Amino acid sequence: MTERIDGHTLLIGLMAYPIRHSMSPTMHNNAFAKLGLNYAYLAFEVINDTLPSAIESIRTLDMRGSNISMPNKQKVIPLLDKLDPAAEMVGAVNTIVNDDGVLTGYTTDGIGFMKSLDDEGINIRGHKMTLAGAGGAGTAIAVQAALDSVSEMSIFNIHDASWKQAEKNVALINEKTDCKATLHDLEDRDDFKKEIQSSFIYADSTGVGMKPLENETLVDDPTWFRKDLVVFDTVYAPRETKLMKVAKSAGVEHVFNGLGMMLEQGAAAFKLWTGEDMPVDYIRQILFDDDKK
Ligand code: NAD
């Protein structure tokens, strides 16, 4: 790293709280080093009161940009000059690009979802998706999938704070895209089963399956799953969630965790800042070497 840093090095930030656990600095700095790019990526604890001055510092210090994570993804929007159409629809930003003082906000989580499926040779365009959850990840997935021509989407949510977001997502998708979206109550098990069984892909973006809910899943009956259904869980710790175990026990061939999505959302941001393709396989090895042991 010290060999790379000089007077021309461009800074990219990550502004969130908490953030010290993040894998993004390792991901991006290794990718810069591998490609010989003169950038450095650093994490900054930024929250509420400090967000406006932190965003202004992107201009002041002529940083190339920043990632934005919780709790700043929505709050950052009024501080930016422009929004990419997907970020506007999602109502959240995870990547900022600074072009000569003009700050544009993007969202790359949904791109990461679609790209991770493409990487596996799975094309969900023109097909029906059932999606559980309408929080940050669910909204990004729903919007990008609809923009990318998924033909039909059944969104399921519980009646918590995200129900309103789910209503917004469905209305926006129907208004702005050719995808036909409908909202469903996650408590209606017969309806949930019926929609999954008529789908090409079932994606879970609720985080059920992640600690402390690692022994839980929204679908525990393997008979709900056809062998040729695609099953996707946004969770990547643990690597194999309860949902994935149930799907595998049903003989489902294409079962994925959120690792590919996480890598590809980073790769999409990397491309926006540098114009280069992140060496994703190399980075996967560095970040998740332990998986092979
Ligand atoms: P969030 O809090 O914004 O949204 C959570 C969603 O799950 C909401 O729709 C909520 O109604 C629903 N939900 C919560 N508890 C539930 C329960 N017990 N039963 C049913 N539904 C429930 O969270 P988020 O930021 O969208 O993250 C969700 C998950 O996605 C987390 O596990 C997170 O780690 C993961 N994630 C992965 C990636 C990736 O790149 N792989 C990116 C973002 C988020």
Side-chain angles (χ1 to χ4, degrees):
M1 163 83 100
T2 46
E3 284 163 24
R4 288 196 303 112
I5 304 281
D6 63 19
H8 299 278
T9 304
L10 287 172
L11 179 61
I12 295 170
L14 166 58
M15 300 176 180
Y17 187 87
I19 203 55
R20 295 294 170 218
H21 64 285
S22 172
M23 288 190 276
S24 293
T26 309
M27 176 194 291
H28 289 289
N29 287 315
N30 277 288
F32 298 146
K34 176 78 174 166
L35 300 186
L37 299 172
N38 200 357
Y39 294 83
Y41 184 108
L42 291 179
F44 300 104
E45 289 185 334
V46 174
I47 187 169
N48 299 333
D49 288 358
T50 56
L51 185 62
S53 56
I55 296 301
E56 188 53 32
S57 71
I58 298 176
R59 295 189 185 90
T60 311
L61 304 178
D62 198 21
M63 293 167 63
R64 179 62 183 127
S66 186
N67 272 143
I68 298 293
S69 195
M70 297 313 285
N72 303 323
K73 284 183 168 185
Q74 286 95 19
K75 289 183 197 122
V76 76
I77 289 179
L79 305 170
L80 303 177
D81 301 304
K82 290 199 294 188
L83 282 185
D84 169 72
E88 188 153 10
M89 277 181 76
V90 171
V93 159
N94 78 340
T95 302
I96 298 172
V97 177
N98 177 14
D99 291 307
D100 299 322
V102 177
L103 304 187
T104 306
Y106 297 84
T107 176
T108 66
D109 282 337
I111 295 172
F113 168 75
M114 293 299 291
K115 183 72 171 50
S116 72
L117 289 168
D118 288 341
D119 292 344
E120 300 288 346
I122 309 265
N123 184 4
I124 66 171
R125 295 166 189 84
H127 294 291
K128 173 173 175 176
M129 171 159 76
T130 289
L131 173 65
T139 299
I141 287 171
V143 165
Q144 194 63 47
L147 287 172
D148 284 357
S149 305
V150 161
S151 58
E152 214 182 316
M153 203 180 305
S154 300
I155 298 176
F156 282 81
N157 214 89
I158 51 176
H159 282 277
D160 69 352
S162 291
W163 180 264
K164 279 216 161 321
Q165 183 66 47
E167 283 179 335
K168 256 172 74 179
N169 295 350
V170 165
L172 209 61
I173 287 168
N174 286 327
E175 185 196 324
K176 303 250 184 201
T177 76
D178 292 332
C179 177
K180 186 175 163 295
T182 47
L183 177 56
H184 305 251
D185 184 348
L186 196 46
E187 307 294 325
D188 185 343
R189 303 294 292 174
D190 290 340
D191 186 37
F192 192 28
K193 176 179 174 183
K194 180 170 72 68
E195 292 304 308
I196 288 177
Q197 289 185 331
S198 61
S199 292
F200 181 83
I201 177 168
Y202 167 59
D204 185 333
S205 73
T206 63
V208 172
M210 190 175 76
K211 264 187 181 161
L213 303 177
E214 69 268 33
N215 294 318
E216 293 189 27
T217 170
L218 299 178
V219 182
D220 58 6
D221 182 349
T223 66
W224 284 29
F225 294 144
R226 299 183 323 269
K227 284 187 171 53
D228 64 347
L229 182 75
V230 177
V231 175
F232 187 102
D233 199 332
T234 57
V235 172
Y236 52 85
R239 298 284 183 266
E240 188 173 77
T241 61
K242 183 87 186 291
L243 167 67
M244 294 170 68
K245 288 193 174 94
V246 172
K248 284 180 184 174
S249 77
V252 177
E253 188 187 345
H254 297 298
V255 181
F256 305 108
N257 62 23
L259 214 54
M261 174 176 165
M262 198 275 284
L263 282 166
E264 290 293 0
Q265 64 76 31
F270 187 89
K271 179 98 180 176
L272 287 167
W273 295 316
T274 67
E276 303 284 339
D277 290 324
M278 178 185 275
V280 171
D281 290 336
Y282 170 76
I283 296 301
R284 186 182 281 125
Q285 257 181 10
I286 290 179
L287 291 184
F288 306 110
D289 218 13
D290 285 352
D291 291 5
K292 300 205 186 80
K293 289 175 191 160

